[in-house]
Amino acid sequence: MQKRLVGATLGIAALALATTAAAQFKPDELIQYRQAGYLFMSWNMGKIKVNLDRDYNEAQVADAANAIAAIANSGMGALFVPGTEHDIGEVKTHVKPAFFENPDDVRELAMDFNQKANELAKVAQNGDPNAVGAAFGEVGKACKACHDKYRAD
Amino acid sequence: MQKRLVGATLGIAALALATTAAAQFKPDELIQYRQAGYLFMSWNMGKIKVNLDRDYNEAQVADAANAIAAIANSGMGALFVPGTEHDIGEVKTHVKPAFFENPDDVRELAMDFNQKANELAKVAQNGDPNAVGAAFGEVGKACKACHDKYRAD
Protein backbone atom coordinates (compact mmCIF):
# COMPACT_ATOMS: atom_id res chain seq x y z
CA MET A 1 0.00 0.00 0.00
CA GLN A 2 2.63 2.50 1.01
CA LYS A 3 4.58 1.82 -2.16
CA ARG A 4 1.87 3.01 -4.49
CA LEU A 5 2.47 6.38 -6.05
CA VAL A 6 0.58 8.93 -4.06
CA GLY A 7 0.46 11.19 -7.08
CA ALA A 8 -2.19 8.99 -8.65
CA THR A 9 -4.65 9.54 -5.82
CA LEU A 10 -6.21 12.70 -7.14
CA GLY A 11 -4.68 12.56 -10.59
CA ILE A 12 -6.33 12.29 -13.95
CA ALA A 13 -6.83 8.53 -13.75
CA ALA A 14 -8.48 8.83 -10.36
CA LEU A 15 -10.79 11.58 -11.54
CA ALA A 16 -11.90 9.45 -14.47
CA LEU A 17 -12.62 6.61 -12.07
CA ALA A 18 -14.38 8.99 -9.76
CA THR A 19 -17.04 9.52 -12.38
CA THR A 20 -17.68 5.79 -12.58
CA ALA A 21 -17.57 5.20 -8.85
CA ALA A 22 -19.73 8.20 -8.02
CA ALA A 23 -22.41 7.38 -10.57
CA GLN A 24 -24.01 4.73 -8.39
CA PHE A 25 -24.21 6.94 -5.29
CA LYS A 26 -26.43 9.91 -4.57
CA PRO A 27 -24.81 13.23 -3.59
CA ASP A 28 -26.07 13.06 0.00
CA GLU A 29 -24.57 9.57 0.31
CA LEU A 30 -21.23 10.84 -1.00
CA ILE A 31 -21.18 13.57 1.65
CA GLN A 32 -21.90 11.02 4.36
CA TYR A 33 -19.21 8.66 3.06
CA ARG A 34 -16.54 11.37 3.10
CA GLN A 35 -17.56 12.46 6.59
CA ALA A 36 -17.36 8.83 7.72
CA GLY A 37 -13.86 8.49 6.30
CA TYR A 38 -12.56 11.58 8.09
CA LEU A 39 -14.33 10.69 11.33
CA PHE A 40 -12.86 7.19 11.34
CA MET A 41 -9.41 8.61 10.63
CA SER A 42 -9.84 11.01 13.56
CA TRP A 43 -10.59 8.12 15.92
CA ASN A 44 -7.38 6.45 14.82
CA MET A 45 -5.41 9.68 15.20
CA GLY A 46 -6.82 9.92 18.73
CA LYS A 47 -5.73 6.36 19.53
CA ILE A 48 -2.20 7.05 18.31
CA LYS A 49 -2.07 10.18 20.47
CA VAL A 50 -3.09 8.17 23.55
CA ASN A 51 -0.33 5.69 22.79
CA LEU A 52 2.24 8.46 22.43
CA ASP A 53 1.08 10.18 25.62
CA ARG A 54 0.88 7.03 27.77
CA ASP A 55 1.81 3.39 27.30
CA TYR A 56 2.94 2.74 23.75
CA ASN A 57 1.48 -0.37 22.09
CA GLU A 58 3.20 -1.07 18.81
CA ALA A 59 0.45 -3.23 17.28
CA GLN A 60 -2.33 -0.79 18.13
CA VAL A 61 -0.41 2.13 16.66
CA ALA A 62 0.49 0.19 13.52
CA ASP A 63 -3.13 -0.86 13.00
CA ALA A 64 -4.39 2.68 13.54
CA ALA A 65 -1.80 4.14 11.17
CA ASN A 66 -2.66 1.51 8.55
CA ALA A 67 -6.34 2.43 8.78
CA ILE A 68 -5.57 6.13 8.31
CA ALA A 69 -3.33 5.46 5.31
CA ALA A 70 -5.71 2.98 3.67
CA ILE A 71 -8.62 5.42 4.00
CA ALA A 72 -6.46 8.24 2.63
CA ASN A 73 -5.46 6.02 -0.30
CA SER A 74 -8.99 4.89 -1.12
CA GLY A 75 -9.69 7.63 -3.65
CA MET A 76 -11.66 10.07 -1.52
CA GLY A 77 -11.52 12.60 -4.36
CA ALA A 78 -14.50 10.69 -5.78
CA LEU A 79 -16.52 11.89 -2.78
CA PHE A 80 -16.19 15.57 -3.72
CA VAL A 81 -17.85 15.52 -7.12
CA PRO A 82 -20.23 18.24 -8.37
CA GLY A 83 -23.54 18.11 -6.53
CA THR A 84 -21.89 17.65 -3.14
CA GLU A 85 -20.95 21.32 -2.55
CA HIS A 86 -23.97 22.19 -0.44
CA ASP A 87 -26.15 20.79 2.33
CA ILE A 88 -28.67 18.26 1.04
CA GLY A 89 -31.69 18.04 3.31
CA GLU A 90 -30.60 16.81 6.70
CA VAL A 91 -27.09 16.08 5.42
CA LYS A 92 -24.90 19.07 6.19
CA THR A 93 -21.48 19.51 4.60
CA HIS A 94 -18.70 21.33 6.43
CA VAL A 95 -16.67 21.93 3.29
CA LYS A 96 -16.35 25.60 2.31
CA PRO A 97 -17.36 26.50 -1.28
CA ALA A 98 -13.75 27.62 -1.84
CA PHE A 99 -12.70 23.95 -1.70
CA PHE A 100 -14.51 23.28 -4.96
CA GLU A 101 -13.18 26.45 -6.58
CA ASN A 102 -9.49 25.65 -6.02
CA PRO A 103 -8.92 22.12 -7.29
CA ASP A 104 -5.17 22.59 -7.81
CA ASP A 105 -4.60 23.77 -4.26
CA VAL A 106 -6.86 21.03 -2.89
CA ARG A 107 -5.00 18.40 -4.90
CA GLU A 108 -1.69 19.62 -3.48
CA LEU A 109 -3.01 19.52 0.09
CA ALA A 110 -4.52 16.08 -0.47
CA MET A 111 -1.30 14.68 -1.94
CA ASP A 112 0.66 16.09 0.98
CA PHE A 113 -1.76 14.51 3.44
CA ASN A 114 -1.54 11.13 1.70
CA GLN A 115 2.24 11.23 1.68
CA LYS A 116 2.36 12.03 5.40
CA ALA A 117 -0.23 9.33 6.18
CA ASN A 118 1.76 6.75 4.22
CA GLU A 119 4.94 7.81 6.00
CA LEU A 120 3.22 7.42 9.38
CA ALA A 121 2.01 3.93 8.44
CA LYS A 122 5.54 3.03 7.36
CA VAL A 123 7.33 4.19 10.51
CA ALA A 124 4.58 2.74 12.73
CA GLN A 125 5.61 -0.74 11.52
CA ASN A 126 9.01 -0.27 13.13
CA GLY A 127 7.62 0.57 16.54
CA ASP A 128 9.86 3.52 17.40
CA PRO A 129 7.67 5.93 19.38
CA ASN A 130 9.90 8.92 18.64
CA ALA A 131 9.75 8.37 14.90
CA VAL A 132 6.02 7.77 15.12
CA GLY A 133 5.58 10.94 17.15
CA ALA A 134 7.35 12.98 14.48
CA ALA A 135 5.39 11.39 11.63
CA PHE A 136 2.15 11.77 13.59
CA GLY A 137 2.87 15.48 13.99
CA GLU A 138 3.34 15.82 10.24
CA VAL A 139 -0.01 14.14 9.58
CA GLY A 140 -1.67 16.48 12.06
CA LYS A 141 -0.15 19.50 10.29
CA ALA A 142 -1.39 18.20 6.93
CA CYS A 143 -4.91 17.76 8.35
CA LYS A 144 -4.84 21.28 9.80
CA ALA A 145 -3.52 22.86 6.60
CA CYS A 146 -6.67 21.78 4.76
CA HIS A 147 -9.05 22.37 7.67
CA ASP A 148 -7.82 25.94 8.15
CA LYS A 149 -8.52 26.78 4.52
CA TYR A 150 -11.50 24.70 3.58
CA ARG A 151 -13.40 23.41 6.59
CA ALA A 152 -16.29 25.50 7.89
CA ASP A 153 -17.45 24.70 11.38
CA MET B 1 -1.22 -5.84 7.36
CA GLN B 2 -2.74 -9.01 5.99
CA LYS B 3 -0.06 -11.09 7.69
CA ARG B 4 -1.07 -10.11 11.20
CA LEU B 5 -2.93 -12.75 13.13
CA VAL B 6 -6.60 -11.99 12.89
CA GLY B 7 -7.23 -13.85 16.10
CA ALA B 8 -5.72 -11.00 18.07
CA THR B 9 -8.29 -8.50 16.85
CA LEU B 10 -10.91 -9.19 19.44
CA GLY B 11 -8.75 -11.28 21.72
CA ILE B 12 -7.70 -10.66 25.27
CA ALA B 13 -4.91 -8.29 24.35
CA ALA B 14 -7.25 -6.22 22.22
CA LEU B 15 -9.84 -6.05 24.95
CA ALA B 16 -7.24 -4.81 27.40
CA LEU B 17 -6.22 -2.15 24.89
CA ALA B 18 -9.83 -1.30 24.29
CA THR B 19 -10.12 -0.06 27.84
CA THR B 20 -7.20 2.30 27.34
CA ALA B 21 -8.30 3.48 23.93
CA ALA B 22 -11.92 3.95 24.91
CA ALA B 23 -11.14 5.92 28.06
CA GLN B 24 -10.50 9.14 26.19
CA PHE B 25 -13.72 9.00 24.18
CA LYS B 26 -17.32 9.52 25.28
CA PRO B 27 -19.86 6.74 24.57
CA ASP B 28 -21.74 8.81 21.98
CA GLU B 29 -18.44 9.42 20.17
CA LEU B 30 -17.67 5.70 20.18
CA ILE B 31 -21.06 4.95 18.58
CA GLN B 32 -20.37 7.54 15.88
CA TYR B 33 -16.87 6.19 15.24
CA ARG B 34 -18.12 2.64 14.76
CA GLN B 35 -20.90 3.80 12.45
CA ALA B 36 -18.33 5.78 10.45
CA GLY B 37 -16.13 2.71 10.09
CA TYR B 38 -18.96 0.53 8.78
CA LEU B 39 -20.27 3.27 6.50
CA PHE B 40 -16.86 3.84 4.97
CA MET B 41 -16.43 0.10 4.46
CA SER B 42 -19.82 -0.01 2.72
CA TRP B 43 -18.73 2.69 0.27
CA ASN B 44 -15.68 0.62 -0.60
CA MET B 45 -17.77 -2.54 -0.95
CA GLY B 46 -20.01 -0.61 -3.33
CA LYS B 47 -17.03 0.51 -5.42
CA ILE B 48 -15.75 -3.06 -5.70
CA LYS B 49 -19.20 -4.20 -6.81
CA VAL B 50 -19.26 -1.56 -9.56
CA ASN B 51 -15.86 -2.75 -10.72
CA LEU B 52 -17.01 -6.36 -10.81
CA ASP B 53 -20.23 -5.48 -12.63
CA ARG B 54 -18.66 -3.16 -15.22
CA ASP B 55 -15.11 -2.18 -16.14
CA TYR B 56 -12.62 -3.67 -13.71
CA ASN B 57 -9.91 -1.32 -12.46
CA GLU B 58 -7.28 -3.23 -10.53
CA ALA B 59 -5.87 -0.26 -8.59
CA GLN B 60 -9.27 1.00 -7.50
CA VAL B 61 -10.32 -2.44 -6.30
CA ALA B 62 -7.04 -3.01 -4.46
CA ASP B 63 -7.31 0.38 -2.73
CA ALA B 64 -10.92 -0.26 -1.74
CA ALA B 65 -10.13 -3.74 -0.43
CA ASN B 66 -7.18 -2.35 1.54
CA ALA B 67 -9.40 0.25 3.16
CA ILE B 68 -11.95 -2.38 4.18
CA ALA B 69 -9.28 -4.66 5.64
CA ALA B 70 -7.43 -1.86 7.45
CA ILE B 71 -10.66 -0.62 9.04
CA ALA B 72 -11.58 -4.18 10.02
CA ASN B 73 -8.12 -4.63 11.55
CA SER B 74 -8.17 -1.38 13.50
CA GLY B 75 -9.59 -2.83 16.69
CA MET B 76 -13.24 -1.91 16.32
CA GLY B 77 -14.06 -4.05 19.36
CA ALA B 78 -12.99 -1.00 21.38
CA LEU B 79 -16.02 0.83 19.96
CA PHE B 80 -18.50 -1.56 21.58
CA VAL B 81 -17.63 -1.04 25.24
CA PRO B 82 -20.22 -0.79 28.03
CA GLY B 83 -22.14 2.47 27.84
CA THR B 84 -22.59 2.21 24.07
CA GLU B 85 -25.52 -0.27 24.11
CA HIS B 86 -28.27 2.32 23.80
CA ASP B 87 -29.13 5.53 21.98
CA ILE B 88 -27.44 8.56 23.53
CA GLY B 89 -29.36 11.74 22.82
CA GLU B 90 -29.39 12.35 19.08
CA VAL B 91 -26.94 9.50 18.50
CA LYS B 92 -28.90 6.37 17.65
CA THR B 93 -27.30 2.94 17.67
CA HIS B 94 -28.54 0.20 15.36
CA VAL B 95 -26.94 -2.59 17.36
CA LYS B 96 -29.41 -4.99 19.02
CA PRO B 97 -29.00 -5.52 22.79
CA ALA B 98 -28.31 -9.21 22.02
CA PHE B 99 -24.97 -8.16 20.50
CA PHE B 100 -23.69 -7.19 23.93
CA GLU B 101 -25.11 -10.31 25.56
CA ASN B 102 -23.32 -12.79 23.29
CA PRO B 103 -19.64 -11.80 23.25
CA ASP B 104 -18.40 -15.25 22.19
CA ASP B 105 -20.68 -15.39 19.18
CA VAL B 106 -19.86 -11.79 18.26
CA ARG B 107 -16.14 -12.51 18.52
CA GLU B 108 -16.50 -15.48 16.19
CA LEU B 109 -18.46 -13.42 13.64
CA ALA B 110 -15.95 -10.57 13.89
CA MET B 111 -12.97 -12.89 13.41
CA ASP B 112 -14.64 -14.47 10.40
CA PHE B 113 -15.31 -11.04 8.91
CA ASN B 114 -11.70 -9.95 9.45
CA GLN B 115 -10.36 -13.12 7.86
CA LYS B 116 -12.57 -12.65 4.82
CA ALA B 117 -11.67 -8.95 4.55
CA ASN B 118 -7.96 -9.78 4.72
CA GLU B 119 -8.39 -12.47 2.07
CA LEU B 120 -10.17 -9.99 -0.20
CA ALA B 121 -7.35 -7.46 0.24
CA LYS B 122 -4.83 -10.17 -0.58
CA VAL B 123 -6.47 -11.43 -3.77
CA ALA B 124 -7.25 -7.86 -4.89
CA GLN B 125 -3.50 -7.25 -5.17
CA ASN B 126 -3.30 -9.88 -7.92
CA GLY B 127 -5.98 -8.28 -10.05
CA ASP B 128 -7.93 -11.40 -11.00
CA PRO B 129 -11.59 -10.31 -11.13
CA ASN B 130 -12.89 -13.86 -10.70
CA ALA B 131 -10.89 -14.43 -7.53
CA VAL B 132 -11.89 -10.99 -6.27
CA GLY B 133 -15.52 -11.72 -7.03
CA ALA B 134 -15.39 -14.90 -4.96
CA ALA B 135 -13.59 -13.21 -2.05
CA PHE B 136 -15.96 -10.25 -2.26
CA GLY B 137 -18.92 -12.63 -1.96
CA GLU B 138 -17.41 -14.14 1.16
CA VAL B 139 -17.00 -10.70 2.76
CA GLY B 140 -20.61 -9.90 1.92
CA LYS B 141 -21.75 -13.12 3.57
CA ALA B 142 -19.70 -12.31 6.69
CA CYS B 143 -21.27 -8.82 6.86
CA LYS B 144 -24.75 -10.30 6.48
CA ALA B 145 -24.19 -13.01 9.09
CA CYS B 146 -23.70 -10.35 11.76
CA HIS B 147 -26.33 -7.95 10.41
CA ASP B 148 -29.00 -10.66 10.37
CA LYS B 149 -28.39 -11.44 14.02
CA TYR B 150 -27.40 -8.18 15.59
CA ARG B 151 -28.35 -5.19 13.46
CA ALA B 152 -31.71 -3.55 14.13
CA ASP B 153 -33.03 -1.34 11.38
Side-chain angles (χ1 to χ4, degrees):
Chain A
M1 179 174 67
Q2 291 84 350
K3 287 175 191 167
R4 186 159 298 139
L5 285 174
V6 171
T9 306
L10 281 177
I12 292 170
L15 286 174
L17 286 172
T19 310
T20 307
Q24 70 178 324
F25 303 113
K26 290 184 288 186
D28 57 336
E29 292 175 335
L30 295 174
I31 292 172
Q32 289 174 301
Y33 288 139
R34 73 193 184 206
Q35 291 176 344
Y38 291 111
L39 189 59
F40 202 76
M41 286 196 280
S42 79
W43 175 54
N44 285 284
M45 288 293 283
K47 282 190 291 179
I48 294 173
K49 188 171 188 313
V50 170
N51 273 273
L52 290 167
D53 289 348
R54 305 183 212 166
D55 293 335
Y56 190 87
N57 181 285
E58 187 178 328
Q60 191 180 53
V61 171
D63 287 344
N66 268 338
I68 293 164
I71 291 170
N73 292 330
S74 68
M76 292 187 77
L79 299 172
F80 295 89
V81 292
T84 67
E85 302 94 331
H86 306 292
D87 298 345
I88 301 173
E90 294 296 308
V91 178
K92 312 293 182 193
T93 178
H94 305 286
V95 183
K96 286 183 184 171
F99 177 97
F100 297 94
E101 295 156 7
N102 295 282
D104 290 344
D105 187 44
V106 167
R107 186 179 301 112
E108 197 171 315
L109 289 166
M111 284 174 59
D112 181 60
F113 169 67
N114 280 24
Q115 285 171 334
K116 301 294 166 55
N118 285 333
E119 180 65 18
L120 174 60
K122 189 176 162 189
V123 300
Q125 303 302 317
N126 300 325
D128 173 2
N130 289 329
V132 168
F136 176 79
E138 290 299 313
V139 173
K141 279 186 215 167
C143 293
K144 189 172 184 300
C146 196
H147 292 172
D148 286 351
K149 275 187 170 173
Y150 298 119
R151 189 174 69 172
D153 56 2
Chain B
M1 177 176 66
Q2 291 84 351
K3 289 176 189 166
R4 186 158 300 137
L5 285 174
V6 171
T9 306
L10 280 178
I12 292 170
L15 285 175
L17 286 172
T19 311
T20 307
Q24 69 177 324
F25 303 112
K26 290 184 289 186
D28 57 336
E29 292 174 335
L30 296 174
I31 293 173
Q32 289 174 302
Y33 288 139
R34 73 193 184 206
Q35 291 177 343
Y38 292 111
L39 189 59
F40 202 76
M41 286 195 281
S42 79
W43 176 55
N44 284 283
M45 288 292 283
K47 282 190 292 178
I48 295 173
K49 187 170 189 315
V50 170
N51 273 272
L52 291 167
D53 289 347
R54 305 183 212 166
D55 292 336
Y56 190 86
N57 182 284
E58 187 177 327
Q60 190 181 53
V61 171
D63 288 343
N66 268 339
I68 294 164
I71 291 170
N73 292 330
S74 68
M76 292 187 76
L79 299 172
F80 294 88
V81 292
T84 68
E85 303 94 332
H86 306 292
D87 298 345
I88 300 173
E90 294 297 306
V91 178
K92 312 293 181 194
T93 177
H94 305 286
V95 183
K96 287 183 183 172
F99 178 97
F100 297 93
E101 295 156 6
N102 296 282
D104 290 343
D105 187 45
V106 167
R107 185 179 302 111
E108 197 172 314
L109 290 166
M111 285 172 60
D112 181 58
F113 170 66
N114 281 24
Q115 285 171 335
K116 301 294 166 56
N118 286 333
E119 179 64 18
L120 174 60
K122 189 177 162 189
V123 299
Q125 304 301 316
N126 299 326
D128 173 1
N130 289 329
V132 168
F136 176 79
E138 290 299 312
V139 173
K141 280 186 213 165
C143 293
K144 190 173 184 301
C146 196
H147 292 174
D148 285 351
K149 274 188 171 174
Y150 298 119
R151 189 174 69 171
D153 56 2

